[in-house]
Amino acid sequence: GGGGWGGGGGWDDAMMKGMMKGMMMMKGGGFGGKGGGKGKGGRYGGSAKKLFVGGMQKTEDGNTVPDEFAVRDFFTSNFGAVSDVKMIRDDEGRAKGYCFVTFENMEDARKALANHAENIIDGQWVDVKVSDGEKPKPGDWICHNCGDLVFASRTECKSCGTAKPAGAGIPRAAPY
């Protein structure tokens, strides 16, 4: 039985997945773990400049120890310029105990990773790893103005304030 491009066979799953992966790579929709992703690297493709910071202690008032300012100050004063600190919160606004820290350059991020055992902020050791990237959930949307991933519940982008376009949102059936 034929297959391939010409004779008679249909597309099988492996061929389709291979083609889709190739298209994603060309479009820059990153499968870029370590060593991948030059430049800015897609917002949720995983970038070596963007680090996951976990193991933060949650407080009664819905925040964390350390707080966002202490996190920014620690990474900036010890390793280099930080372009973003994104504290992750639940639907009620309470901290989930982790955040993402994005450095302006990869060398500073590498220094923070190399310091793993000594990453202690306000007396609290924090787990610092390369971010896997943010994983969109059904209904989340990508801001057309700044490229940020925005939660489904928001009517405007948290980063730049752009209003959610009509019909925006990642569909439930998307194969993430």
Side-chain angles (χ1 to χ4, degrees), residues 86-145:
K86 185 171 186 177
M87 301 297 278
I88 305 303
R89 298 183 177 278
D90 66 16
D91 294 338
E92 277 84 53
R94 292 184 308 260
K96 288 188 165 189
Y98 65 96
C99 68
F100 294 95
V101 173
T102 306
F103 283 91
E104 288 184 12
N105 70 66
M106 279 199 244
E107 193 48 48
D108 293 338
R110 283 191 199 105
K111 287 189 270 182
L113 289 166
N115 193 55
H116 192 263
E118 304 300 318
N119 286 328
I120 298 168
I121 310 173
D122 289 349
Q124 173 81 30
W125 177 79
V126 292
D127 188 15
V128 178
K129 306 182 229 192
V130 174
S131 167
D132 290 336
E134 298 164 70
K135 308 235 183 335
K137 293 177 179 63
D140 290 354
W141 53 283
I142 306 299
C143 176
H144 63 85
N145 188 42

Side-chain angles (χ1 to χ4, degrees), residues 5-61:
W5 292 101
W11 287 77
D12 66 10
D13 276 329
M15 288 169 61
M16 192 66 182
K17 284 180 183 155
M19 189 182 98
M20 292 302 288
K21 184 174 179 181
M23 288 167 62
M24 290 292 289
M25 295 292 276
M26 285 187 277
K27 198 169 187 248
F31 293 96
K34 290 189 175 125
K38 288 185 174 65
K40 201 163 181 169
R43 272 296 192 165
Y44 42 75
S47 162
K49 289 197 272 186
K50 185 174 188 176
L51 304 180
F52 166 88
V53 179
M56 297 191 292
Q57 184 181 328
K58 295 182 237 175
T59 59
E60 288 290 316
D61 64 359

